[in-house]
Amino acid sequence: FEIFNLDLKAGDSLKIKGKISEDTNGFIVNLGHSSSDLALHFNPRFNESVIVCNSKCSKAWQQEHRDSHLSFSKGSTIKLVIEFLADKFQVKLPDGHEVEFPNRHCYDKITYMSVKGGFRVTSFKL
């Protein structure tokens, strides 16, 4: 699932609903300008019971941020709300917990989004 002409501006929210497959180790939601320039790499990993967030600049990964609040499980249907603010991203998890990650590239617009791994998107709304 990839979108190349997304028009997400600072102050906007992105709602993503979907089903996590039963047999996955995790999934990824990427937001940025391209697959090699990512402002937010959101990566829940079930095998480590952690959510890893990161950013990528010219294909180079930056400093990882780990949050051990993994509040959903394999096989569940979830909704994630990603708020894009001028200085950070706030990802609201299904139980209300928020994972914050800085807008390291100071982007004011996101044009690229991809969802990979064991997550089937059923709807998304800007």
Side-chain angles (χ1 to χ4, degrees):
F1 186 85
E2 246 178 338
I3 297 171
F4 296 96
N5 60 348
L6 190 69
D7 189 19
L8 186 68
K9 295 178 199 72
D12 289 347
S13 287
L14 185 65
K15 295 182 178 102
I16 305 171
K17 282 186 190 164
K19 183 162 173 47
I20 302 168
S21 39
E22 296 278 356
D23 58 352
T24 187
N25 281 327
F27 63 91
I28 295 166
V29 177
N30 286 324
L31 294 173
H33 283 177
S34 68
S35 60
S36 53
D37 287 292
L38 298 174
L40 175 67
H41 169 80
F42 179 80
N43 178 209
R45 297 177 185 172
F46 297 108
N47 54 343
E48 296 177 51
S49 295
V50 70
I51 295 172
V52 175
C53 291
N54 206 341
S55 54
K56 195 193 259 190
C57 189
S58 303
K59 296 184 180 173
W61 287 109
Q62 298 175 304
Q63 181 67 46
E64 244 180 33
H65 166 77
R66 295 167 98 66
D67 188 312
S68 57
H69 189 95
L70 192 58
S71 62
F72 41 86
S73 55
K74 296 180 187 186
S76 60
T77 299
I78 63 165
K79 177 173 90 171
L80 298 171
V81 180
I82 302 173
E83 232 183 313
F84 173 38
L85 304 168
D87 61 334
K88 65 185 172 187
F89 293 88
Q90 279 181 308
V91 184
K92 190 176 273 194
L93 305 181
D95 69 345
H97 178 78
E98 288 186 353
V99 177
E100 286 192 0
F101 188 74
N103 181 4
R104 292 174 174 165
H105 301 322
C106 300
Y107 287 163
D108 56 2
K109 191 174 162 186
I110 299 289
T111 53
Y112 174 81
M113 173 187 162
S114 69
V115 180
K116 298 176 174 170
F119 186 78
R120 190 170 51 83
V121 176
T122 53
S123 75
F124 89 101
K125 188 172 142 191
L126 190 54

